[in-house]
Amino acid sequence: MIDDVLIYTGYGILVLNLILYSISFFFKKKGNAFFIAYLFFCTAMQFSMELMYLLGKENLFLGNTFFIGQVIIISLFYKSQFSLPFKKKLCNWILGVNILYAILFFSYDFQFVFQTNLSIITLSSLSILILIYAFFYSKLTRNKEYFNFSMGLLMYVCASEVIYLSANITNSWSNEYKFFTWRINSLLIIIYYLLIWYEWKVSFAQKKAQLQKTS
Amino acid sequence: MALDYEKEVVTVIVCISMFFMTIAILLVVFFYLSRKKLIHKELEKKNLEIEMQNELIKAVIVTQEEERKRIAQDLHDDISSKLNVVGLNGHLLKTPNLLPHELEEITNNIITLNNKALENSRKIAHNLLPPVLEKFGLEAGIRELCLEFESGKTLIIDFIQETIIEQDLNRDLHVFRILQELLNNSVRHGKASKVKIKIDKTKEGYCCHYHDNGVGFDVNKATHQKGLGTKNMASRVQYLNGELIINSAVGEGITVYFTF
């Protein structure tokens, strides 16, 4: 019961974020296309996983798709945020290395697609951490747009890393403890999505209010 | 037994997860505080720059007003008064039955006063923009300035120019004014008897070394740092994108270095 509440609350906040950011982007011309793409990708993956689960089918390949897709979109997003050529190059390298590794890894044995792959998870998470640090560094003296989102992503990636890495061990356990780690993951996702919502409130919704005040 | 093991591993996973989460939060806090500190420092720097610029603007306005006052006084004392007397003499010419020697005296007066007014107006114009600067460049301007100061017989100036200065009236006028201010200060406040001026070429442009053997002053005293003359020189050097260094000590004269 509590698991469902946590999972569906996460879905709800994610959909709300997608709607809010889409309105800001398509109607008020504010925001970043890659960020909308990221939210859309997360929503599509979450609902696909839920659907597969409800149909009683294996959804681990979606997990792999999520990690690779996430690092691709996040790299492109941060690339659009950086102004220095060196940082743009860093994004290209991270993007290239992740894609190349995934191609080589799955070509070696395609069955890996249907398993939890620790190296894919570790590489994509480390890549995201590097991008977040580069982003934070670039924002030291500039505006704070997407600072809260990056903060949420950093916390989520750091905290959930162990949960994902231990997935293969906990998979064969009893339901009582198997789902406990995923319950914590759901809680972390809620915090992460709430920070994305807070980002919208601070960077996009509040600007409008300030404009209205001054006009 | 298996459940105990699972419970223990789950506890380890949760603890590690929370540990990483805490590290992430601490990193975010660190970034946030660093950002705050950097922005605060940058703001302080900008405020200081604005304050300095305001002081320079104030100095420029005060100098401009003083210059206007001086010109007004020069016009009033040297030209208007003389033209008034010329006017009076002109009226005298209308007086009937003037004797020839009286007529000649009045005419001579008018001619003399007119010449004096003309000479004074030239001097005023020369002070505003020395013609030599426009016609022959900075070197000739400085040499003329040196001759003017040396004509008082109390000051000997050694002017050395190591390079040929390309003519740029706007820049030359600022350099000329800076040297004029320095020479004025050396004579008026420094009581100097010898001055050395050297102009040389640098990588970026030119530089000027100025030294006198006057009484000097304590550069750390705020009154000297914020003096109108110093501010005026600083604003001119800043306008020329140069650097100004003033060194002095009581009894050791003054050494000024500026680039332009």
Side-chain angles (χ1 to χ4, degrees):
Chain A
M1 177 65 187
I2 190 158
D3 291 336
D4 288 343
V5 172
L6 288 172
I7 289 167
Y8 291 113
T9 308
Y11 289 174
I13 303 168
L14 179 61
V15 172
L16 176 75
N17 283 335
L18 181 64
I19 294 167
L20 292 173
Y21 277 93
S22 299
I23 289 170
S24 295
F25 184 74
F26 292 108
F27 295 101
K28 292 167 191 164
K29 307 287 171 209
K30 284 183 199 168
N32 184 291
F34 291 113
F35 193 73
I36 307 285
Y38 174 64
L39 288 178
F40 182 77
F41 175 72
C42 287
T43 314
M45 293 312 291
Q46 293 273 25
F47 281 99
S48 307
M49 280 186 198
E50 184 67 19
L51 189 69
M52 298 289 274
Y53 171 74
L54 291 174
L55 293 172
K57 288 183 179 172
E58 189 67 60
N59 65 2
L60 273 177
F61 76 94
L62 283 174
N64 289 317
T65 316
F66 175 73
F67 282 110
I68 297 159
Q70 176 174 252
V71 78
I72 290 170
I73 302 174
I74 291 286
S75 302
L76 292 170
F77 165 70
Y78 280 126
K79 191 184 168 186
S80 70
Q81 291 293 304
F82 295 144
S83 52
L84 288 176
F86 161 72
K87 286 185 181 170
K88 283 185 184 286
K89 231 180 226 179
L90 176 78
C91 294
N92 289 339
W93 270 99
I94 284 174
L95 191 66
V97 166
N98 275 278
I99 293 172
L100 192 71
Y101 183 75
I103 292 168
L104 290 174
F105 188 74
F106 294 126
S107 347
Y108 178 72
D109 187 350
F110 193 69
Q111 283 309 305
F112 283 147
V113 174
F114 305 102
Q115 292 170 18
T116 304
N117 294 299
L118 303 185
S119 58
I120 293 275
I121 295 170
T122 310
L123 182 67
S124 64
S125 301
L126 278 174
S127 304
I128 288 171
L129 286 182
I130 292 168
L131 291 169
I132 293 170
Y133 288 131
F135 176 76
F136 276 156
Y137 187 75
S138 70
K139 287 283 170 182
L140 274 174
T141 51
R142 290 189 192 168
N143 65 58
K144 274 170 74 182
E145 210 165 75
Y146 294 110
F147 187 85
N148 294 299
F149 155 70
S150 299
M151 184 169 78
L153 185 61
L154 172 70
M155 289 197 294
Y156 178 68
V157 169
C158 283
S160 66
E161 180 70 8
V162 191
I163 296 168
Y164 285 116
L165 291 178
S166 63
N168 282 341
I169 308 170
T170 57
N171 209 24
S172 54
W173 286 2
S174 60
N175 283 351
E176 188 185 346
Y177 291 111
K178 184 165 72 179
F179 292 122
F180 185 76
T181 50
W182 294 112
R183 198 176 296 158
I184 289 175
N185 190 49
S186 305
L187 197 70
L188 291 171
I189 283 182
I190 290 174
I191 296 169
Y192 173 42
Y193 289 162
L194 278 173
L195 279 165
I196 294 180
W197 169 79
Y198 183 68
E199 175 68 59
W200 174 82
K201 191 177 174 285
V202 172
S203 301
F204 302 104
Q206 217 169 51
K207 270 182 191 169
K208 187 190 156 199
Q210 275 172 359
L211 280 174
Q212 279 173 348
K213 258 186 208 174
T214 50
S215 61
Chain B
M1 192 65 189
L3 277 178
D4 281 348
Y5 168 75
E6 284 173 11
K7 191 180 172 184
E8 216 166 283
V9 177
V10 162
T11 313
V12 171
I13 292 168
V14 172
C15 285
I16 295 172
S17 180
M18 289 306 117
F19 176 75
F20 280 129
M21 178 93 159
T22 314
I23 289 177
I25 291 170
L26 287 175
L27 273 170
V28 169
V29 171
F30 173 74
F31 270 109
Y32 183 76
L33 293 177
S34 305
R35 183 188 144 88
K36 215 173 163 183
K37 201 174 172 183
L38 274 172
I39 288 173
H40 183 72
K41 274 196 173 175
E42 222 164 70
L43 267 175
E44 263 182 5
K45 204 176 146 192
K46 290 269 175 226
N47 282 340
L48 213 71
E49 267 175 29
I50 292 167
E51 205 179 302
M52 203 182 135
Q53 269 176 351
N54 282 343
E55 275 191 13
L56 285 177
I57 291 167
K58 222 161 117 183
V60 169
I61 292 168
V62 172
T63 315
Q64 204 178 29
E65 284 306 317
E66 283 200 347
E67 189 71 359
R68 280 180 182 167
K69 245 188 240 174
R70 193 185 61 78
I71 296 165
Q73 209 173 349
D74 282 354
L75 287 172
H76 179 266
D77 296 350
D78 296 339
I79 312 230
S80 303
S81 61
K82 285 180 180 60
L83 289 176
N84 271 338
V85 183
V86 170
L88 278 173
N89 279 293
H91 279 293
L92 281 177
L93 286 173
K94 285 182 185 172
T95 316
N97 306 321
L98 277 174
L99 295 169
H101 76 272
E102 285 173 332
L103 195 69
E104 196 187 336
E105 195 186 335
I106 293 166
T107 318
N108 283 341
N109 266 346
I110 289 171
I111 293 167
T112 314
L113 287 167
N114 188 48
N115 284 341
K116 274 185 182 170
L118 205 65
E119 193 188 326
N120 285 339
S121 70
R122 265 196 211 117
K123 269 187 190 168
I124 292 168
H126 181 274
N127 272 335
L128 287 175
L129 178 66
V132 68
L133 208 62
E134 201 174 1
K135 281 181 189 163
F136 305 106
L138 185 62
E139 190 189 348
I142 296 171
R143 287 204 188 282
E144 196 189 63
L145 187 71
C146 293
L147 282 175
E148 272 174 29
F149 274 91
E150 280 178 326
S151 66
K153 306 287 179 197
T154 54
L155 189 70
I156 299 165
I157 304 168
D158 180 16
F159 173 55
I160 307 160
Q161 190 176 310
E162 300 276 2
T163 181
I164 296 163
I165 306 169
E166 280 172 40
Q167 204 167 347
D168 175 350
L169 186 62
N170 192 31
R171 182 203 61 197
D172 293 352
L173 190 63
H174 284 292
V175 177
F176 181 85
R177 292 290 181 223
I178 292 168
L179 287 171
Q180 199 174 29
E181 178 71 37
L182 285 169
L183 283 165
N184 264 328
N185 288 344
S186 292
V187 173
R188 211 190 297 166
H189 307 296
K191 314 286 177 211
S193 59
K194 275 181 188 169
V195 168
K196 190 174 179 181
I197 303 168
K198 188 179 168 190
I199 291 182
D200 215 338
K201 201 167 170 60
T202 62
K203 275 181 190 172
E204 289 86 19
Y206 303 98
C207 68
C208 178
H209 296 267
Y210 180 95
H211 179 73
D212 76 18
N213 66 342
V215 292
F217 60 87
D218 186 357
V219 278
N220 297 319
K221 274 191 181 171
T223 44
H224 294 301
Q225 284 173 357
K226 291 183 178 177
L228 200 63
T230 315
K231 273 187 196 171
N232 200 9
M233 282 193 291
S235 67
R236 286 188 194 276
V237 173
Q238 196 186 32
Y239 177 79
L240 298 171
N241 293 322
E243 186 193 5
L244 174 72
I245 301 164
I246 300 173
N247 275 322
S248 184
V250 176
E252 287 180 20
I254 181 173
T255 305
V256 179
Y257 171 84
F258 66 92
T259 55
F260 54 96

